[in-house]
Amino acid sequence: MANPSQRETGPPRTEVDFALRELEFLQRLSRQAAATVNSDELLSLIIRETTSAMGTDVCTLYLLSQSGRELVLTATNGLNERMIGRSILPLGEGITGWVAKSRQPRLVAEVAKDAHWKWVPGLDEERFHSMLSVPIESGPRLVGVLNVQSVERRDFTAGDVDFLQAIAGQVAGILERSELQRRLEEQLREIQLSHDVHERFTRLSLEGAGIPAILEAVGALASGRAALYSLGGFRVRGAGDSSDGLPGRLTVPVRQLSSGAREFRIQAGRPARPLDVVPVRAGADLLGLLAVAVPEQVLDEEGRRRALEHGSTVLALELSKERAAAEVERRLRGDLVEEVLAGGLAEDEMERLAAQAERLGHRLPHSAWVIVIEPDDQAVDSGRNDPARQDRLDAALGEVLKRRLVGGLAMVRSTGAVVLAPGEQTPDLLAAEKLAEHLRAAAAPVLKPVTASAGVGNLARSVSELARSHVEARQALRLTRRAGARSQVTTYRSLGAFRLLLEVQSPEALRGFVSDVLGSLLTYAESRDTPLLETLEALAAARWVRRAAARALGIHINSINYRVERIEKLTGLSLRDPETRVAVAIALRAHAMLGV
């Protein structure tokens, strides 16, 4: 029996040597990895050192994909390197997949005889016989799998497993630090990129380069032509024409704008091409749409995203500045027109207004037509105090004037708009009516769901007569509206003899005249169902032709004859008498005007 004092108190000398070799290797690997910055060099270092330390012919590293469902060949020093990034193994498939799924090492003396072996075409694994595979783990998280293989048959030992697992643990830490460093560097690059892009756009804005220069910068940074579109989808800014690949109009789904999306992709143009669309917003207000063509290959996705993001922000600032400037200009222009239309101005006041108009870039016309555009039913016009609607109405009318009239002045009110059309550009009443219809048609979509009509006064032959023409245009509108007309253009001159009613200063005098002529019919209408008053209005509108009035009312001629007899009996009037017809027509128009 051996003397206890002579008994070995530690592991055999060979085990100590092995542990020291293992420790020295891991320390050397850690130091070299810490000094290596490039990720490719780091992977090459891990593979090279592991192969040498394990005394094998090849080492292979598989890393878990982002989806967490498959392994991707990431580095090797003995297999086909062209398969790096292309050789993909689902978890559980092959020896490597089994190790990843089970989180257990596997020793295989003859891979071709192993139940889990799977030959991967193109990977050049046929010459290798033995294999040791261990999982790479970072805490509870699987990072990948580390494999070593040998051409000659080899029986890997438990010590080999422990050593490779120790290397795998070190590799996990190295990869974690490398990934953290990569993410930090990526974040720094993103911050620097964002700073550079923001600084470029801010400099353009501060230098007053304008929206075209900003769009050009967006296009350069995003690798595609850029343009600005209105909320209606019409292209309003952006160099070039349809040949640049950007359509003149976009059709954007309403749900995309109402959802608050920051960016979305659509197909537009002929032929259809992909466009990235970014709503340009200032707070809750949607000002326009930034559209950028998508190139066939985006080289810098992050740079493109930053360009769209910062570009839309600076465009919102520029559009807000333009809106504010337009609002000031519109208010000054509105005050000017209001003062002109007020009338009763002395000569020196007229000179002051003319000078003010010149400073605003307008010239008061020596002669002009006054056109008034208003909603037909202001009582139900819920949007009349909406500043955004006033902006759109001003822009719509301004577009018509820019295309059709040089020197026209428009003033937008909460109740509608007033336009001064220079007589030199609008030589006669017919031309004034056509212009009024274009203006009314442009205003109609803005004022929806309320319909709009336009009134045109007589030609003002001097600035001092503009007030009179304005009153005439509003009177034409009022009489037409009282008569039930909608979406029409009415000139003061077309009122004919009925204009005399407007000269009657006393409403009571008009009411008395209406009562004398139509009083019995008005009383009858309050208690009876037969529409005698409506029949009389249809006859007057049909120039007293009974068959035409019957068609307008949708009744038989005999019914018209019966109603005429009833009217004549109630009123004591003869509708065959020309003077009576004139009196009845005037009374009907006065009744409509007074609203009685």
Side-chain angles (χ1 to χ4, degrees), residues 2-16:
N3 189 338
S5 62
Q6 297 176 341
R7 186 179 301 164
E8 291 288 337
T9 58
R13 187 63 179 171
T14 54
E15 293 185 16
V16 173

Side-chain angles (χ1 to χ4, degrees), residues 566-579:
R566 293 288 297 152
I567 290 170
E568 289 181 335
K569 184 175 181 180
L570 285 170
T571 61
L573 301 174
S574 173
L575 298 184
R576 297 181 182 276
D577 179 45
E579 291 186 8

Side-chain angles (χ1 to χ4, degrees), residues 362-379:
H362 301 290
R363 183 177 63 84
L364 288 178
H366 295 295
S367 65
W369 304 88
V370 178
I371 302 171
V372 176
I373 302 156
E374 291 181 352
D376 288 320
D377 193 346
Q378 295 190 11

